[in-house]
């Protein structure tokens, strides 16, 4: 496997820094098909020659299915980071963006019982319009009208104002006093987790806090 992957690196079909990632995917793909690979061997060639051909085809599959997809997502993230909404995207790239929106919603669901709090906090942190339903989902029926509403205004909250506002929401929702620094650390923890889950174990994408915020705006901002 090492020899075959290095040949692809030499031909510039795989980036050198992706060696370990590609190898890990290749090992998993091989182990998943090990029995069928063994059954298909006809003894008409050396086992080394046969396995080399199998591994070669698998690497081509990875490049098509995994590697090229990652590169397309990378281009889309560059568009998002540049905030260039007028860039012309191909129909395929538009579909990838729609897939990323769906993927974000699914990843937020992985926070389980905490997902309502996570979604509300991230909307406020990224200054995305939130709804009374968002407040009620987290605050268990607390009247959203008792909280100052920054949604739909031109006012941009400072980080300090954001943390203080979330402290107030925590007091209503959880009946406990939280200090701004604790809110700051909590936000860092959940954004780090969300980015890690969006990017995946094998770096399926390359989200940063900034591109995550823009993707969230694309998903949740009500025009």
């Amino acid at each position: 496997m090492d020899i075959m992957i290095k040949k692809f690196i030499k031909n510039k079909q795989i980036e050198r820094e992706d060696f370990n990632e590609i190898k890990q995917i290749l090992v998993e793909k091989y182990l998943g098909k090990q029995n069928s690979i063994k059954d298909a061997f006809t003894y008409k060639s050396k086992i080394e020659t046969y396995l080399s051909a199998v591994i070669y085809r698998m690497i081509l599959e990875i490049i098509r299915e995994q590697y090229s997809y990652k590169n397309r997502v990378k281009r889309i993230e560059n568009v998002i980071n540049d905030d260039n909404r007028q860039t012309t995207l191909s129909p395929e790239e538009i579909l990838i963006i729609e897939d990323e929106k769906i993927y974000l919603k699914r990843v937020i669901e992985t926070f389980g019982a905490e997902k309502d709090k996570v979604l509300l906090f991230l909307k406020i942190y990224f200054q995305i319009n939130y709804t009374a339903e968002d407040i009620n989902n987290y605050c268990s029926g607390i009247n959203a009208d008792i909280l100052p509403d920054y949604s739909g205004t031109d006012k941009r909250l400072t980080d300090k104002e954001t943390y203080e506002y979330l402290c107030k929401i925590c007091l209503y929702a959880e009946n406990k006093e939280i200090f701004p620094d604790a809110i700051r650390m909590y936000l860092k923890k959940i954004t780090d987790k969300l980015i890690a889950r969006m990017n995946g174990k094998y770096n399926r994408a390359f989200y940063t806090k900034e591109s995550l915020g823009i993707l969230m705006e694309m998903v949740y901002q009500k025009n």
Side-chain angles (χ1 to χ4, degrees):
M1 288 183 180
D2 288 358
I3 292 170
M4 298 298 294
I5 295 172
K6 287 175 181 177
K7 286 183 178 180
F8 278 86
I9 291 174
K10 184 177 181 180
N11 293 333
K12 302 188 182 301
Q13 291 176 276
I14 294 175
E15 298 293 335
R16 188 175 301 278
E17 59 267 25
D18 290 334
F19 175 88
N20 290 330
E21 175 189 343
I22 296 296
K23 182 176 178 180
Q24 180 114 24
I25 296 172
L26 181 59
V27 169
E28 291 183 2
K29 184 181 282 284
Y30 177 84
L31 292 176
K33 297 182 178 181
Q34 192 170 15
N35 290 334
S36 60
I37 291 170
K38 180 180 177 182
D39 292 341
F41 182 52
T42 61
Y43 298 92
K44 292 181 180 179
S45 63
K46 291 183 178 179
I47 185 66
E48 293 86 351
T49 304
Y50 171 68
L51 288 177
S52 293
V54 169
I55 291 170
Y56 178 83
R57 287 195 299 271
M58 284 186 170
I59 295 174
L60 287 178
E61 288 177 7
I62 292 169
I63 292 174
R64 284 196 301 268
E65 298 170 4
Q66 306 276 349
Y67 205 59
S68 60
Y69 177 84
K70 185 174 74 172
N71 287 337
R72 291 196 301 273
V73 172
K74 177 65 174 175
R75 176 178 179 262
I76 290 167
E77 287 161 0
N78 287 336
V79 171
I80 291 174
N81 275 326
D82 291 340
D83 203 18
N84 186 359
R85 307 303 172 83
Q86 303 305 313
T87 298
T88 301
L89 298 175
S90 69
E92 181 188 25
E93 289 168 333
I94 292 171
L95 285 174
I96 291 174
I97 288 180
E98 293 305 312
D99 285 344
E100 290 301 293
K101 291 180 180 179
I102 294 169
Y103 194 74
L104 174 61
K105 291 180 179 180
R106 288 177 178 170
V107 169
I108 287 177
E109 288 293 322
T110 66
F111 284 88
E114 196 181 9
K115 70 179 186 300
D116 292 329
K117 179 178 181 180
V118 167
L119 182 57
L120 176 62
F121 274 44
L122 288 175
K123 280 187 175 184
I124 293 172
Y125 179 65
F126 289 119
Q127 304 201 29
I128 298 168
N129 290 352
Y130 57 90
T131 65
E133 183 181 3
D134 291 324
I135 294 287
N136 290 332
N137 286 341
Y138 171 48
C139 297
S140 301
I142 291 294
N143 185 358
D145 293 337
I146 65 178
L147 296 170
D149 184 11
Y150 293 104
S151 297
T153 72
D154 294 330
K155 176 179 172 59
R156 298 291 297 178
L157 299 183
T158 65
D159 284 350
K160 182 174 181 293
E161 289 172 330
T162 299
Y163 303 149
E164 290 173 349
Y165 184 49
L166 289 171
C167 284
K168 183 177 290 189
I169 292 177
C170 270
L171 181 61
Y172 286 119
E174 302 179 26
N175 196 28
K176 60 182 179 181
E177 187 174 2
I178 305 291
F179 294 100
D181 197 50
I183 295 291
R184 178 187 61 78
M185 290 188 290
Y186 176 75
L187 282 168
K188 183 180 186 309
K189 181 181 78 172
I190 62 175
T191 51
D192 286 349
K193 278 186 180 180
L194 187 54
I195 289 169
R197 292 175 187 179
M198 287 296 296
N199 289 340
K201 182 178 179 181
Y202 299 121
N203 291 326
R204 62 172 291 280
F206 304 89
Y207 284 100
T208 63
K209 184 174 71 174
E210 290 72 22
S211 56
L212 173 66
I214 295 171
L215 182 64
M216 285 204 63
E217 182 181 342
M218 293 170 70
V219 174
Y220 295 107
Q221 185 69 55
K222 306 298 182 184
N223 295 324

